[in-house]
């Protein structure tokens, strides 16, 4: 699993340690991304009311630039944060990891290097930044591929293989994952980067694009083939997603 595409240009702008008491705040969009290690506390982020992101002690959060959100801090929080810029775009995401101690030490070292401003401090901090990304990626993969989450990934794979089935529901996938629907949605959003419902629609529309591009099927046929029982609803979803009707997808 890759946190960031390291072929993109990345520039660190600040490394800091911040602490604050219980609070509720509105965070305005900022011109930089934030990679956060939560040393103490808990945070609940809401970019939209439907899919809150919960970050607990020992978790790492990746918050994108130009993204406003509300944040609830039910207890005192302490974080190490690396602010950086890159051309890559991504959604807010929280990573639960196996052992946070090694990652905490890397964040602490990056903070010390940055604020001591010694010889070659920037390049040394960048080196630690990439080491942090690698360690988070490895640990997150170990966590999510553990026995606890085998059923979750089985459900995700099932969705990818059976999305054209119009009877497929998020509730059915939740049962397959042996999780409540609420927790399945939360974990899916954290791991995949979008809600299961949105991902299901994305899979169906991508397949619809391929079928319509061939020019062998009518819009009604394609709607049914990708999992929409109602061609009118299919057309409305395509318009909402692309800004034009399905007929424009014909080559």
């Amino acid at each position: 699993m890759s946190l960031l595409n390291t072929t993109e240009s990345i520039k660190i702008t600040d490394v800091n340690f911040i602490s604050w008491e219980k609070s509720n705040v509105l965070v305005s969009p900022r011109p930089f991304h934030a990679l956060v290690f939560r040393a103490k506390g808990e945070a609940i982020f809401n970019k939209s009311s439907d899919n809150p992101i919960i970050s607990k002690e020992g978790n790492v959060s990746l918050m994108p630039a130009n993204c406003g959100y509300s944040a609830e801090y039910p207890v005192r929080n302490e974080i190490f944060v690396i602010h950086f810029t890159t051309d890559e775009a991504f959604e807010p995401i929280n990573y639960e990891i196996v052992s946070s101690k090694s990652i905490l030490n890397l964040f602490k070292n990056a903070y010390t290097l940055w604020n001591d401003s010694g010889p070659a401090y920037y390049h040394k901090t960048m080196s630690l930044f990439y080491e942090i990304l690698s360690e988070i990626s490895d640990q997150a993969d170990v966590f999510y591929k553990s026995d606890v989450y085998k059923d979750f990934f089985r459900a995700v794979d099932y969705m990818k293989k059976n999305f054209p089935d119009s009877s497929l529901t998020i509730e059915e996938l939740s049962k397959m994952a042996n999780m409540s629907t609420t927790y399945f949605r939360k974990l899916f959003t954290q791991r995949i980067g979008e809600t299961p419902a949105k991902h299901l629609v994305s899979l169906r529309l991508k397949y619809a694009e391929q079928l319509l591009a061939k020019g062998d099927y009518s819009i009604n046929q394609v709607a049914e083939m990708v999992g929409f029982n109602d061609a009118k609803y299919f057309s409305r979803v395509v318009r909402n997603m692309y800004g034009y009707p399905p007929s424009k997808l014909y080559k």
Side-chain angles (χ1 to χ4, degrees):
M1 182 181 70
S2 177
L3 292 176
L4 292 169
N5 180 358
T6 53
T7 63
E8 297 286 349
S9 175
I10 295 176
K11 181 180 179 180
I12 295 177
T13 60
D14 188 32
V15 183
N16 215 333
F17 172 78
I18 308 170
S19 64
W20 64 95
E21 301 301 326
K22 175 181 177 180
S23 60
N24 291 275
V25 298
L26 289 175
V27 180
S28 300
R30 300 165 296 187
F32 49 79
H33 308 292
L35 185 67
V36 177
F37 180 88
R38 198 161 307 282
K40 288 186 179 180
E42 179 179 333
I44 303 169
F45 303 116
N46 273 286
K47 185 180 176 184
S48 65
S49 58
D50 295 332
N51 301 296
I53 295 175
I54 301 174
S55 180
K56 297 183 179 181
E57 184 172 320
N59 289 182
V60 175
S61 303
L62 188 57
M63 307 302 289
N66 305 313
C67 174
Y69 55 89
S70 65
E72 177 185 351
Y73 305 105
V75 294
R76 174 181 170 82
N77 274 253
E78 295 181 2
I79 64 169
F80 287 91
V81 57
I82 300 175
H83 293 142
F84 64 98
T85 59
T86 179
D87 293 334
E88 185 175 355
F90 48 86
E91 290 294 314
I93 189 167
N94 184 70
Y95 295 94
E96 299 181 64
I97 52 183
V98 176
S99 175
S100 60
K101 186 175 181 180
S102 59
I103 295 177
L104 172 60
N105 288 335
L106 289 171
F107 269 90
K108 284 182 175 179
N109 290 340
Y111 171 71
T112 300
L113 271 174
W114 184 267
N115 289 280
D116 283 351
S117 300
Y121 81 96
Y122 182 84
H123 297 291
K124 290 178 181 178
T125 306
M126 277 298 303
S127 178
L128 276 174
F129 180 73
Y130 284 114
E131 190 175 347
I132 287 169
L133 294 181
S134 177
E135 182 70 13
I136 293 170
S137 181
D138 290 344
Q139 291 220 29
D141 271 348
V142 169
F143 178 80
Y144 284 113
K145 290 177 181 176
S146 64
D147 289 340
V148 176
Y149 288 95
K150 282 183 179 178
D151 288 340
F152 170 75
F153 283 101
R154 184 167 65 90
V156 173
D157 288 339
Y158 186 86
M159 175 194 282
K160 291 179 179 179
K161 294 175 182 176
N162 296 276
F163 65 85
D165 181 356
S166 61
S167 67
L168 183 63
T169 65
I170 306 306
E171 288 72 23
E172 177 186 353
L173 294 169
S174 302
K175 290 179 181 178
M176 189 177 298
N178 290 317
M179 297 175 179
S180 69
T181 302
T182 299
Y183 187 67
F184 178 77
R185 286 196 181 106
K186 173 188 152 186
L187 184 59
F188 193 101
T189 302
Q190 289 178 343
R191 187 64 176 88
I192 308 301
E194 59 184 354
T195 67
K198 185 176 180 180
H199 192 67
L200 181 58
V201 170
S202 296
L203 291 171
R204 288 172 171 169
L205 292 186
K206 185 175 181 179
Y207 186 37
E209 282 187 76
Q210 296 171 3
L211 293 175
L212 288 169
K214 292 180 180 179
D216 297 332
Y217 307 101
S218 69
I219 291 174
N220 284 0
Q221 287 174 317
V222 169
E224 185 175 353
M225 291 169 70
V226 302
F228 290 89
N229 288 326
D230 186 338
K232 289 184 179 180
Y233 176 66
F234 168 68
S235 296
R236 189 161 64 249
V237 171
V238 171
R239 281 182 180 274
N240 289 339
M241 181 67 70
Y242 301 113
Y244 46 76
S247 58
K248 293 290 185 180
L249 296 174
Y250 280 115
K251 285 190 176 179

